[in-house]
Amino acid sequence: MFNIRTDLAIEAREIYREGSNREVPGVAVDVDHKDEDIKITIVKVLDERGARIIGKPIGSYITMEVPKIRHYDAEFHDRLGKSLAKQLAELINLKKDGTVLVVGLGNWNVTPDSLGPKVVSKLFVTRHLKQYMPQYLEEGINPVCAISPGVLGITGIETAEIIQGVVEKVKPDVVIAIDALSSRKMERVVTTIQIGNTGINPGSGVGNRRMELSERTLGIPVIAIGVPTVVDAATLANDTIDLMIDSLIKQTSNDKDFYNMLKNVNKDEKYALIRQILNPYIGDLMVTPKEIDSLIEDISKVIANAINIAVHPGIELEDINKYIH
Amino acid sequence: MFNIRTDLAIEAREIYREGSNREVPGVAVDVDHKDEDIKITIVKVLDERGARIIGKPIGSYITMEVPKIRHYDAEFHDRLGKSLAKQLAELINLKKDGTVLVVGLGNWNVTPDSLGPKVVSKLFVTRHLKQYMPQYLEEGINPVCAISPGVLGITGIETAEIIQGVVEKVKPDVVIAIDALSSRKMERVVTTIQIGNTGINPGSGVGNRRMELSERTLGIPVIAIGVPTVVDAATLANDTIDLMIDSLIKQTSNDKDFYNMLKNVNKDEKYALIRQILNPYIGDLMVTPKEIDSLIEDISKVIANAINIAVHPGIELEDINKYIH
Amino acid sequence: MFNIRTDLAIEAREIYREGSNREVPGVAVDVDHKDEDIKITIVKVLDERGARIIGKPIGSYITMEVPKIRHYDAEFHDRLGKSLAKQLAELINLKKDGTVLVVGLGNWNVTPDSLGPKVVSKLFVTRHLKQYMPQYLEEGINPVCAISPGVLGITGIETAEIIQGVVEKVKPDVVIAIDALSSRKMERVVTTIQIGNTGINPGSGVGNRRMELSERTLGIPVIAIGVPTVVDAATLANDTIDLMIDSLIKQTSNDKDFYNMLKNVNKDEKYALIRQILNPYIGDLMVTPKEIDSLIEDISKVIANAINIAVHPGIELEDINKYIH
Amino acid sequence: MFNIRTDLAIEAREIYREGSNREVPGVAVDVDHKDEDIKITIVKVLDERGARIIGKPIGSYITMEVPKIRHYDAEFHDRLGKSLAKQLAELINLKKDGTVLVVGLGNWNVTPDSLGPKVVSKLFVTRHLKQYMPQYLEEGINPVCAISPGVLGITGIETAEIIQGVVEKVKPDVVIAIDALSSRKMERVVTTIQIGNTGINPGSGVGNRRMELSERTLGIPVIAIGVPTVVDAATLANDTIDLMIDSLIKQTSNDKDFYNMLKNVNKDEKYALIRQILNPYIGDLMVTPKEIDSLIEDISKVIANAINIAVHPGIELEDINKYIH
């Protein structure tokens, strides 16, 4: 049976299509490329069959592919922030004066895992202002609060337990959870943003963040925003080997036996073999761009601004700088 | 009426005694100076009268004065850690297999307010290990978990709300809360550790951490550990002026009128006047040692080690390094 | 004899004028307030007499007072950056293809002293690009290099020795040195930028950065950019006492003797007395705004951008983001 | 012709021996394994032939392999520090009152490249104390100074130019240069320390630190201390492929043609092919352990302590904590 292990719906779809040369059954896909620097792919998982293949619950997964983000350009970052805000606002569909709880998942001490806490630190948090000094806030500012709960290894508490406790006290209308993902393709790292309306599900992500954050467990919608910040070492090795085999096949096209042998190396078997070979190291190693610090800084600002605009209909990107630092 | 505004029980007592030349009524005091580098003063607030004067609830406040801590000395830090652990263990009085929740209050982005989160980051956290791999843990290791909830300005949520939510999920037997305090004396900064069994009370501390963390609000004992990391600007000015007046009095002893005038400057009026004069700046300025970064680093390690020993009867300071980093 | 101890020419002038009610002899002053948010005062020290009173060598000292900078506003920061760039460009007067060496003085581990290294980290450094890949650089880009030498306590080497060594190798046409200053007025902290064409002089600044960085010692012009990031504790106490005396005088206007006594407290004696009283603490304490981290971050970005524009005539502020991060 | 590209003499030797099944000609090797946790291999390159094969100048390269360092243990760190100090002291052979300049190479903003600056920040720097207050220093304390010059991309100045400039001013008797290396084996990362007496040579290291730091260019001996903190992505892929081929060969032992084909994949061609395939990513990606932050912190402390003991014969490891922080 087919079983694709990736954090990104778009990758799961690609892998299926490569293997089968057809669209995933039970899945509808829509691509928007009006802005040539921002490719938006909406993958709708429609039924259980689609869910099983994609490895994610029934729901919507919007992926923005923005390779340009890795070359710093303030104007493009603003444009991307607005585009992301538009997608977010539609998915969140927040009622007037609805309360938002933003959850920054991940470990602030490990750079590639610090995306969530970094976004939280850049938000325009207003819930306390609404409570204690509402007169200072304009129309169209919703109560927003935020927490970076830490990871299991640091707190000894499942992230989901902390969030459940906070949700019961704060009673938000929606949770937005931000998380660092891993990708199977090197070129996706810090260039792809996935937002989905089915929360954070067990097994997703690289770290130890067991248990689900979802409408099922929290009783309110959970919007997830994820960005791949690492590729795993097995992926890197695997991709290289595939490229090598392609290259070797070209060189030895007259050697039928060998060609067939290579052809018959089953992709999943190969990946499993690589994982097994790398096993002693795999828990330990991460593959990440050299400038990961500044890349995380940039994309966390884009995401924070997008959330700020999406959840406060009364303010524009241009106003944000007057409110927050 | 007498009203002393300080985070430290020992300072409140000093101020009362300076004004009245007698011990605070409703308060019992015990001093232990067996280790000449560690002066331990135990202030027991016995009744409401004492509580009103000291400005703290009925309970025990143990103060360790350790000026030597500011000159780094690994051997002394170990000795201090053990001494603090002994005091803590007595106050906590943890039952076998009792669960401990450590709360690191304060803002990790403002160095003098980052004590709590720093201590949390150095703890030997075990609750998840007890749950998922108890076979790896020795006898005498209790389940310990920890959280740094952030401050109201960053989360939009009262710290007490977050902690209540987490306590309801985790159901610990005791909470240990660590907080940075302000002192009225420059020489106390990062040289005094106060532990108390009455929790964190409204109005204490410098930051925006309203609402109480106490047995009354959480249903379980709350041990507070506090260290002064700043003096407020009004205190600095006030102390200087007192010293100046003393100095001027000496120089002008024959000028009776002036002498009397200065004598009659009411201490509290004077402090109020200074606060009023400094008001436009006071919310803004902090007075702190230049090497505050490394001082916080050192004392947070001492406190973390002391908690590690106090809550895990099965391990010694020497073992700690094998478990945590 | 009059001797004013402050890093800021504008403060030295104020103190003199308060004491004497007239302009400093040997000094010409020009004020530009066309932009109501940016007050520019140009103090020209014309002769030795002026130099003795101001406590700085003959030369030009341009002070920009920008209280608005403490409330983050991206548009204002850009405007300020351009205004500062204009002043800088005039003072530097760089020849075509002239090489610039920027020196970030101060200690990166002590937040209020980290201004210089922070600015250096945000510069568009080009000298190596001019050498190794000139074809990629547009017209109007000068060779710029930069160093943060550290402080004496960390390196064991006088900063001036390091800079002399580097200047002899790099042979720049001008040095721009950035340094954190201390102010005697709380409201100046991180709201005042001073640029001067006489370098960094012995005794200026709070830290241990002895020996001069100037045309005299380096053989090339040295432009200094300084921002007060702390007030010293004695200043804070002194200012408070002055305000108190004013307040007391109002209350006791009929008491002639006392009034006169207070009047006769010599300002400098008083300051000296305060320094003596605070002596055990003074080397140790700093008074700084709570949000010093983000304030330093903001102003270092403004200064870095201003230098980037001032030294590269071929680029505009809008281009900078395309080159650097 | 054989050409081994690695920072570590010990790896170059291994690769040669794997290819040729004999010791490198022109090289003498001595192994000391008295301490079972610290394996010391001394590779002496004796002539030009050895130098060509090893890819390093004639001289001594001492490698300490200490896999245990990755599990924090204060007692072992002390033992390792003393062992490293012993090797260093012999290699440095410092004359009485000889001046030492320690150079921390690398970029403090990129964690795996920050080893050098981290070590420098933990040194007991004394040159200025010897100059300004010699009475406070005991017998057996040599003048030590230190600098972290930054990297070419940040300064625009070749590191070697800066160091030459500083050496001309300070006139030290010896330079100790600390640098992060890359390894071809995953298990070497942060577990191997190499010290050598031939300085830092062009092409070594991953970063942009061109030009040589050596006795030839500085006129004084240059001791280099290096630790691998990354493996390059090509190495990771290459190692995996080798393991895969071994595994495939076992499975297909009866298929003679294929077996021979795989056998004939030339190792260097294969590595070159992988580098070519990965080329678009290779400048960009690094492979590093997840806990690189704390691993660098630990090993930089070990190295700093070792230098402190090696260059100050008058003090013991136990004294170090009394002097520095």
Side-chain angles (χ1 to χ4, degrees):
Chain A
M1 183 47 216
F2 217 88
N3 183 1
I4 300 161
R5 181 55 199 79
T6 165
D7 289 333
L8 293 169
I10 202 177
E11 283 193 347
R13 179 194 170 226
E14 273 171 17
I15 295 168
Y16 182 87
R17 279 159 47 114
E18 274 170 28
S20 68
N21 287 313
R22 59 190 181 100
E23 189 53 84
V24 184
V27 163
V29 176
D30 193 32
V31 176
D32 173 351
H33 212 156
K34 280 191 290 275
D35 184 330
E36 63 173 12
D37 297 319
I38 304 174
K39 182 182 176 189
I40 302 175
T41 305
I42 302 177
V43 174
K44 284 197 175 142
V45 175
L46 304 170
D47 58 26
E48 279 306 325
R49 199 169 146 216
R52 232 175 12 252
I53 296 173
I54 296 292
K56 294 190 167 298
I58 294 169
S60 293
Y61 303 91
I62 302 165
T63 307
M64 306 178 80
E65 291 169 276
V66 283
K68 214 181 149 183
I69 200 178
R70 292 185 60 170
H71 303 97
Y72 186 76
D73 174 342
E75 185 273 328
F76 177 65
H77 283 194
D78 284 357
R79 205 163 92 223
L80 174 58
K82 286 175 188 172
S83 178
L84 177 55
K86 190 163 161 282
Q87 299 293 336
L88 265 178
E90 276 174 33
L91 217 55
I92 297 174
N93 193 19
L94 190 63
K95 71 175 190 197
K96 192 167 156 20
D97 287 325
T99 296
V100 179
L101 171 63
V102 183
V103 177
L105 298 166
N107 185 344
W108 42 78
N109 293 323
V110 175
T111 308
D113 202 29
S114 66
L115 178 75
K118 280 263 169 65
V119 170
V120 159
S121 74
K122 293 174 170 57
L123 288 176
F124 178 31
V125 165
T126 51
R127 179 173 170 270
H128 57 308
L129 305 176
K130 292 287 265 192
Q131 283 185 315
Y132 299 121
M133 40 173 109
Q135 69 278 16
Y136 289 113
L137 289 178
E138 291 167 37
E139 191 70 10
I141 306 280
N142 283 313
V144 171
C145 54
I147 189 166
S148 294
V151 292
L152 184 61
I154 286 177
T155 62
I157 314 171
E158 293 288 359
T159 300
E161 287 183 278
I162 298 175
I163 300 309
Q164 282 166 21
V166 174
V167 163
E168 285 169 20
K169 294 290 154 194
V170 169
K171 302 197 193 316
D173 296 281
V174 64
V175 163
I176 302 175
I178 296 118
D179 202 6
L181 310 177
S182 83
S183 165
R184 308 213 351 169
K185 288 211 174 160
M186 293 170 279
E187 66 265 34
R188 285 210 187 285
V189 172
V190 204
T191 66
T192 298
I193 303 170
Q194 174 177 275
I195 56 180
N197 62 359
T198 63
I200 304 278
N201 299 284
S204 287
V206 241
N208 276 318
R209 300 166 216 136
R210 263 156 285 190
M211 290 169 59
E212 201 168 300
L213 286 186
S214 69
E215 183 151 11
R216 205 170 62 77
T217 58
L218 296 180
I220 49 170
V222 179
I223 308 299
I225 304 178
V227 174
T229 61
V230 291
V231 285
D232 73 342
T235 296
L236 174 67
N238 192 58
D239 288 2
T240 311
I241 289 166
D242 283 353
L243 291 166
M244 266 197 80
I245 290 177
D246 289 350
S247 175
L248 289 173
I249 284 175
K250 279 184 202 147
Q251 292 170 32
T252 58
S253 54
N254 59 338
D255 181 342
K256 284 284 181 259
D257 284 354
F258 180 61
Y259 179 89
N260 288 327
M261 203 285 309
L262 287 175
K263 261 297 194 218
N264 292 330
V265 175
N266 178 289
K267 287 219 166 198
D268 286 335
E269 267 178 38
K270 185 159 53 65
Y271 186 71
L273 176 63
I274 290 170
R275 288 194 74 91
Q276 186 192 320
I277 288 168
L278 289 177
N279 196 52
Y281 318 106
I282 216 127
D284 209 29
L285 285 178
M286 62 187 181
V287 183
T288 197
K290 282 203 182 111
E291 342 74 63
I292 188 69
D293 272 285
S294 61
L295 294 172
I296 294 267
E297 188 64 27
D298 286 349
I299 205 162
S300 66
K301 205 169 152 192
V302 168
I303 294 174
N305 278 343
I307 295 175
N308 286 330
I309 308 170
V311 301
H312 300 303
I315 55 177
E316 303 285 328
L317 180 56
E318 286 67 29
D319 303 318
I320 290 292
N321 285 334
K322 297 184 186 158
Y323 287 98
I324 60 155
H325 183 67
Chain B
M1 182 47 215
F2 217 88
N3 183 1
I4 299 161
R5 179 56 198 80
T6 164
D7 288 333
L8 293 170
I10 202 177
E11 283 194 348
R13 179 194 170 226
E14 273 172 16
I15 294 167
Y16 182 87
R17 279 159 47 113
E18 274 170 25
S20 67
N21 286 314
R22 59 189 182 99
E23 190 52 83
V24 185
V27 163
V29 176
D30 192 33
V31 176
D32 173 351
H33 213 154
K34 280 190 291 272
D35 183 329
E36 63 174 12
D37 296 320
I38 304 174
K39 182 181 175 189
I40 301 175
T41 306
I42 302 177
V43 174
K44 285 199 174 140
V45 176
L46 303 169
D47 58 26
E48 280 306 326
R49 198 168 147 216
R52 231 171 18 249
I53 295 174
I54 296 292
K56 296 193 165 294
I58 295 168
S60 294
Y61 303 91
I62 302 165
T63 307
M64 307 179 81
E65 291 169 277
V66 283
K68 212 180 150 183
I69 199 178
R70 291 185 60 170
H71 302 97
Y72 186 76
D73 175 342
E75 184 275 327
F76 176 65
H77 283 195
D78 284 357
R79 206 165 91 222
L80 174 59
K82 286 175 188 172
S83 178
L84 176 56
K86 190 164 160 282
Q87 299 293 334
L88 265 178
E90 276 174 32
L91 218 54
I92 297 173
N93 193 18
L94 189 62
K95 71 175 190 198
K96 192 167 154 23
D97 286 325
T99 295
V100 179
L101 171 63
V102 183
V103 176
L105 298 167
N107 185 345
W108 43 78
N109 294 321
V110 175
T111 308
D113 201 29
S114 66
L115 177 75
K118 280 265 170 63
V119 170
V120 160
S121 74
K122 293 174 170 57
L123 289 175
F124 178 31
V125 164
T126 51
R127 180 174 170 269
H128 57 309
L129 304 177
K130 292 288 265 193
Q131 282 186 315
Y132 300 121
M133 40 174 110
Q135 68 280 15
Y136 289 113
L137 290 178
E138 290 167 37
E139 191 69 10
I141 307 281
N142 283 314
V144 171
C145 54
I147 189 166
S148 294
V151 292
L152 184 61
I154 286 177
T155 63
I157 314 170
E158 293 287 0
T159 300
E161 286 183 278
I162 299 175
I163 301 310
Q164 282 165 23
V166 174
V167 164
E168 285 170 21
K169 293 291 153 193
V170 170
K171 302 195 191 317
D173 296 281
V174 64
V175 163
I176 302 175
I178 297 118
D179 202 7
L181 310 177
S182 83
S183 165
R184 306 208 0 162
K185 290 212 173 160
M186 293 170 279
E187 66 264 35
R188 286 211 186 284
V189 172
V190 204
T191 65
T192 299
I193 303 170
Q194 174 177 275
I195 56 180
N197 63 359
T198 64
I200 305 278
N201 300 285
S204 287
V206 243
N208 276 316
R209 301 169 215 135
R210 263 157 286 189
M211 292 169 58
E212 201 168 298
L213 285 187
S214 69
E215 183 151 13
R216 205 170 60 76
T217 59
L218 296 180
I220 48 170
V222 179
I223 308 299
I225 305 178
V227 174
T229 60
V230 292
V231 285
D232 74 340
T235 297
L236 174 67
N238 191 60
D239 288 3
T240 312
I241 289 166
D242 283 353
L243 291 165
M244 266 198 80
I245 290 177
D246 289 351
S247 174
L248 288 173
I249 284 175
K250 278 184 203 149
Q251 292 170 32
T252 59
S253 52
N254 57 339
D255 180 341
K256 284 286 183 257
D257 285 354
F258 181 62
Y259 179 88
N260 287 328
M261 204 285 308
L262 287 174
K263 262 296 196 217
N264 293 330
V265 176
N266 178 289
K267 287 220 166 198
D268 285 335
E269 266 177 39
K270 186 158 53 63
Y271 186 70
L273 177 63
I274 289 170
R275 288 194 74 90
Q276 186 192 319
I277 288 168
L278 289 177
N279 196 49
Y281 318 106
I282 215 128
D284 210 30
L285 286 178
M286 60 186 184
V287 183
T288 198
K290 282 205 182 106
E291 343 73 62
I292 187 69
D293 272 285
S294 62
L295 294 172
I296 294 268
E297 189 62 28
D298 286 349
I299 205 162
S300 67
K301 204 168 151 192
V302 168
I303 294 174
N305 278 343
I307 295 175
N308 286 331
I309 309 170
V311 301
H312 300 304
I315 55 177
E316 303 285 328
L317 181 56
E318 286 67 29
D319 302 319
I320 291 291
N321 285 333
K322 296 184 187 157
Y323 286 99
I324 61 156
H325 182 65
Chain C
M1 182 50 215
F2 217 87
N3 182 0
I4 301 161
R5 180 55 199 82
T6 164
D7 288 333
L8 293 170
I10 202 177
E11 283 192 347
R13 179 193 170 226
E14 273 172 18
I15 295 167
Y16 181 88
R17 278 157 50 111
E18 275 170 26
S20 68
N21 286 315
R22 59 188 183 102
E23 189 54 82
V24 184
V27 163
V29 176
D30 191 33
V31 176
D32 173 350
H33 213 157
K34 280 190 291 272
D35 183 330
E36 62 173 12
D37 297 320
I38 304 174
K39 183 181 174 189
I40 301 174
T41 305
I42 302 177
V43 173
K44 285 198 175 141
V45 176
L46 304 169
D47 59 24
E48 280 306 325
R49 198 169 147 214
R52 236 178 4 255
I53 296 175
I54 297 292
K56 293 190 168 298
I58 294 169
S60 292
Y61 303 91
I62 302 166
T63 309
M64 308 179 79
E65 292 170 274
V66 283
K68 213 180 151 184
I69 200 178
R70 292 185 59 170
H71 302 98
Y72 186 76
D73 175 342
E75 185 274 327
F76 176 65
H77 283 195
D78 283 357
R79 206 164 91 224
L80 175 58
K82 286 175 188 171
S83 178
L84 176 56
K86 192 163 159 283
Q87 300 293 335
L88 266 178
E90 277 174 33
L91 218 53
I92 298 174
N93 194 19
L94 190 63
K95 71 174 190 199
K96 191 165 157 22
D97 287 323
T99 295
V100 178
L101 171 63
V102 183
V103 177
L105 299 167
N107 184 345
W108 43 78
N109 293 323
V110 175
T111 308
D113 201 29
S114 66
L115 177 74
K118 281 263 169 64
V119 169
V120 159
S121 75
K122 293 173 171 58
L123 288 176
F124 178 32
V125 165
T126 51
R127 181 175 169 268
H128 57 310
L129 305 177
K130 293 287 265 193
Q131 283 186 314
Y132 300 121
M133 40 174 110
Q135 68 280 14
Y136 290 113
L137 289 178
E138 291 167 37
E139 191 70 10
I141 307 279
N142 283 313
V144 171
C145 54
I147 189 166
S148 293
V151 292
L152 184 61
I154 286 177
T155 62
I157 314 172
E158 294 288 358
T159 300
E161 286 182 277
I162 298 175
I163 301 308
Q164 281 165 23
V166 173
V167 163
E168 284 169 21
K169 293 289 155 195
V170 169
K171 303 196 191 317
D173 296 281
V174 63
V175 163
I176 302 176
I178 298 119
D179 202 7
L181 309 176
S182 81
S183 165
R184 309 214 350 168
K185 290 212 173 160
M186 292 170 280
E187 66 265 34
R188 285 210 186 285
V189 172
V190 204
T191 66
T192 298
I193 303 168
Q194 173 177 275
I195 56 179
N197 63 359
T198 63
I200 305 277
N201 299 286
S204 286
V206 241
N208 276 318
R209 299 167 217 136
R210 263 157 285 187
M211 292 168 59
E212 203 169 298
L213 286 186
S214 70
E215 184 151 9
R216 205 170 60 78
T217 58
L218 297 179
I220 48 169
V222 178
I223 308 299
I225 304 178
V227 173
T229 61
V230 291
V231 286
D232 73 340
T235 297
L236 174 67
N238 191 59
D239 287 2
T240 312
I241 289 166
D242 283 353
L243 291 165
M244 267 199 80
I245 291 177
D246 289 350
S247 174
L248 289 172
I249 284 176
K250 279 186 202 143
Q251 293 170 33
T252 59
S253 53
N254 58 337
D255 181 341
K256 284 289 182 251
D257 284 354
F258 182 60
Y259 179 87
N260 287 326
M261 204 286 306
L262 287 174
K263 261 298 194 216
N264 292 330
V265 175
N266 177 289
K267 288 223 166 194
D268 285 334
E269 269 178 37
K270 185 159 54 62
Y271 186 72
L273 177 62
I274 289 170
R275 287 194 74 90
Q276 186 194 320
I277 288 169
L278 290 176
N279 195 50
Y281 317 107
I282 214 126
D284 209 29
L285 286 178
M286 62 186 181
V287 183
T288 198
K290 281 202 181 110
E291 341 76 62
I292 188 69
D293 271 284
S294 63
L295 294 172
I296 294 267
E297 188 63 27
D298 287 350
I299 205 161
S300 67
K301 205 169 152 191
V302 168
I303 294 174
N305 278 343
I307 295 174
N308 286 330
I309 308 169
V311 301
H312 300 303
I315 55 177
E316 303 284 326
L317 181 55
E318 286 66 29
D319 303 318
I320 291 291
N321 286 334
K322 297 184 185 154
Y323 286 97
I324 60 154
H325 182 64
Chain D
M1 179 53 216
F2 218 87
N3 183 1
I4 300 159
R5 180 56 199 80
T6 165
D7 289 333
L8 294 170
I10 202 177
E11 283 193 348
R13 178 193 171 226
E14 273 171 17
I15 295 167
Y16 181 88
R17 279 157 49 114
E18 276 169 26
S20 67
N21 286 315
R22 59 189 183 103
E23 190 53 84
V24 184
V27 163
V29 176
D30 192 33
V31 177
D32 173 352
H33 213 155
K34 279 190 291 274
D35 183 329
E36 63 174 11
D37 297 319
I38 305 174
K39 182 181 175 191
I40 302 174
T41 305
I42 302 177
V43 173
K44 285 197 176 141
V45 175
L46 303 170
D47 58 27
E48 280 306 323
R49 198 168 148 214
R52 236 180 3 257
I53 296 174
I54 296 292
K56 296 191 166 294
I58 294 168
S60 292
Y61 303 91
I62 302 165
T63 307
M64 306 179 80
E65 291 170 274
V66 282
K68 212 181 152 185
I69 199 178
R70 294 187 58 170
H71 303 98
Y72 186 75
D73 175 342
E75 184 274 327
F76 176 65
H77 283 195
D78 284 356
R79 205 164 91 225
L80 175 58
K82 285 175 190 173
S83 178
L84 177 55
K86 190 162 161 284
Q87 299 294 335
L88 266 178
E90 277 174 33
L91 218 52
I92 297 174
N93 194 18
L94 189 63
K95 70 174 190 198
K96 191 164 157 26
D97 287 323
T99 296
V100 178
L101 170 64
V102 183
V103 177
L105 298 167
N107 184 344
W108 42 79
N109 293 322
V110 174
T111 308
D113 201 29
S114 66
L115 177 75
K118 281 262 169 65
V119 169
V120 159
S121 74
K122 293 174 170 58
L123 288 177
F124 178 31
V125 165
T126 51
R127 181 175 168 268
H128 57 310
L129 305 176
K130 292 287 266 194
Q131 282 185 314
Y132 299 121
M133 41 174 108
Q135 70 279 14
Y136 289 113
L137 290 178
E138 291 166 37
E139 191 70 9
I141 307 280
N142 283 313
V144 171
C145 53
I147 189 165
S148 293
V151 292
L152 184 61
I154 285 177
T155 62
I157 314 171
E158 293 287 358
T159 299
E161 285 183 279
I162 298 176
I163 301 310
Q164 281 166 21
V166 174
V167 163
E168 284 169 20
K169 293 290 155 195
V170 169
K171 302 195 193 318
D173 296 282
V174 64
V175 163
I176 302 175
I178 297 119
D179 202 7
L181 309 177
S182 82
S183 165
R184 307 209 359 164
K185 289 213 175 159
M186 293 170 280
E187 66 264 34
R188 287 211 185 283
V189 172
V190 204
T191 66
T192 299
I193 303 169
Q194 173 176 275
I195 56 179
N197 63 359
T198 64
I200 305 277
N201 299 284
S204 286
V206 241
N208 277 317
R209 299 168 217 133
R210 264 157 284 187
M211 292 166 61
E212 202 169 298
L213 287 186
S214 69
E215 184 152 11
R216 205 171 59 79
T217 60
L218 297 180
I220 48 170
V222 179
I223 307 299
I225 305 179
V227 174
T229 61
V230 292
V231 284
D232 74 339
T235 296
L236 175 67
N238 192 59
D239 288 2
T240 313
I241 289 166
D242 283 353
L243 292 165
M244 265 198 80
I245 291 176
D246 289 350
S247 174
L248 289 172
I249 285 175
K250 280 184 201 146
Q251 292 170 32
T252 59
S253 53
N254 59 337
D255 181 341
K256 286 286 181 255
D257 284 353
F258 181 61
Y259 179 88
N260 288 326
M261 204 286 307
L262 287 174
K263 264 294 195 218
N264 294 328
V265 176
N266 177 289
K267 287 222 166 193
D268 286 334
E269 267 177 41
K270 184 158 53 65
Y271 186 71
L273 176 63
I274 290 170
R275 288 193 74 90
Q276 185 192 321
I277 288 168
L278 290 177
N279 195 51
Y281 317 107
I282 215 125
D284 210 31
L285 286 178
M286 61 187 183
V287 183
T288 196
K290 282 203 181 109
E291 341 75 61
I292 187 70
D293 272 284
S294 61
L295 294 172
I296 294 269
E297 188 63 27
D298 286 350
I299 205 161
S300 66
K301 205 168 152 192
V302 168
I303 294 174
N305 278 344
I307 295 175
N308 287 330
I309 308 169
V311 301
H312 301 302
I315 55 178
E316 302 285 327
L317 181 56
E318 286 66 30
D319 303 318
I320 291 290
N321 285 333
K322 297 185 186 156
Y323 286 98
I324 61 153
H325 182 62

